[in-house]
């Protein structure tokens, strides 16, 4: 009797929010799920019951990422989702330590994962990088987060060109506001915020369709593109008040 091979997916940032929902949804759909997070207990509590493997590594620690992801075997899909957000509250007294923390986790962490995983990915596989719709429009206080995600956009789009001849596809995911512990810390209004279940459904559907770019939701993306199209002086004024010279 022939048995079809289960598809294998690695998801980073699996212990919370979007990553956690993806772990449960892919497992429910019959995938073999490798769940990665930085806190072993939290990862076990959240994913232990459904994940085939738990991989513990802080994404900003290159040695830990390289050793944890060495020899994990062939994957059909890797979703590099781990990320953090910290805001620059006082731009005049720029906090470069905060900036470095965010870049290290979001951007350099992704680079470490790529270094570990790409040699192991077979032809026909796909790697998905988690960016944000915040890259469509500069937001107040988002200098660090936005820079990390804008760099992610370039990274994904450039990588897609170079991995094409190796048969590895690259998807760039740009979610709108999603209701997770990350956004629960925000004290401002989050228009169009959606549930993690909806975010996961969109991401999984679009990845299955082989989309290079997954931007959602459509109305939110259209709104951001419209505002981005306005003269920058108007956007600066809308977000930052009157300029004092
Ligand atoms: N929620 C949104 O509205 C939204 C919108 C656009 C993009 N995103 C992106 O989506 C991704 C997931 O965000 P989320 O909203 O689901 O946030 P979340 O609930 O805070 O989950 C973030 C995940 O990343 C992990 N993580 C954070 N720093 C890490 C590090 N140094 N090493 C390893 N893992 C680390 C967290 O681990 P712990 O559980 O140990 O903290 C957690 O598993 C992020 O890349 C975020 O930028 C989110």
């Amino acid at each position: 009797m022939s048995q079809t091979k289960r598809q294998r997916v690695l998801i980073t940032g699996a212990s919370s929010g979007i990553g956690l929902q993806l772990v449960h949804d892919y497992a429910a759909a019959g995938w073999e799920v490798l769940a990665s997070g930085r806190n072993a207990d939290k990862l076990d509590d959240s994913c232990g019951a459904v994940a085939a493997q738990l991989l513990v590594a802080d994404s900003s620690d290159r040695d830990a990422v390289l050793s944890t992801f060495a020899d994990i075997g062939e994957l059909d899909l890797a979703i590099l989702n781990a990320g953090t957000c910290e805001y620059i509250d006082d731009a005049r007294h720029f906090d470069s330590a905060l900036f470095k923390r965010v870049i290290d986790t979001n951007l350099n962490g992704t680079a470490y994962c790529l270094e570990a995983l790409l040699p192991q990915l077979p032809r026909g596989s796909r790697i998905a990088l988690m960016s944000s719709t915040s890259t469509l429009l500069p937001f107040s206080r988002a200098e660090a987060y936005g820079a990390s995600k804008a760099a992610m956009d370039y990274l994904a789009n450039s990588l897609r060109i170079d991995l094409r001849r190796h048969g590895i596809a690259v998807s760039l995911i740009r979610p709108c506001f999603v209701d997770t512990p990350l956004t629960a810390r925000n004290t401002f209004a989050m228009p169009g915020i959606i549930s993690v279940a909806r975010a996961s459904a969109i991401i999984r559907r679009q990845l299955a369709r082989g989309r290079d770019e997954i931007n959602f939701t459509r109305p939110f993306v259209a709104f951001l593109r419209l505002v981005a199209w306005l003269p920058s002086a108007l956007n600066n004024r809308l977000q930052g008040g009157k300029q004092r010279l």
Side-chain angles (χ1 to χ4, degrees), residues 28 35 43 46 62 75 96-97 102 130 134 139 162 176 186 194 196 209 212 226 230 233 243:
L43 191 62
S46 55
R62 177 174 176 269
L75 297 169
S96 65
V102 174
M130 187 62 77
S134 64
F139 284 100
D162 291 323
C176 59
N186 290 342
I194 63 169
V196 274
R209 286 178 182 164
D212 287 347
L226 179 69
L230 296 172
Q243 197 176 9

Side-chain angles (χ1 to χ4, degrees), residues 39-69:
N39 179 318
D41 290 339
K42 190 172 176 188
L43 191 62
D44 195 16
D45 287 348
S46 55
C47 306
V50 296
Q53 271 186 60
L54 301 178
L55 301 160
V56 181
D58 187 310
S59 70
S60 60
D61 180 341
R62 177 174 176 269
D63 290 344
V65 171
L66 294 191
S67 64
T68 304
F69 291 165

Side-chain angles (χ1 to χ4, degrees), residues 92-113:
R92 188 85 188 279
H93 299 99
F94 197 86
D95 186 345
S96 65
L98 179 160
F99 192 86
K100 184 175 183 308
R101 275 198 304 277
V102 174
I103 296 287
D104 279 349
T105 296
N106 294 1
L107 185 60
N108 293 334
T110 300
Y112 304 148
C113 290

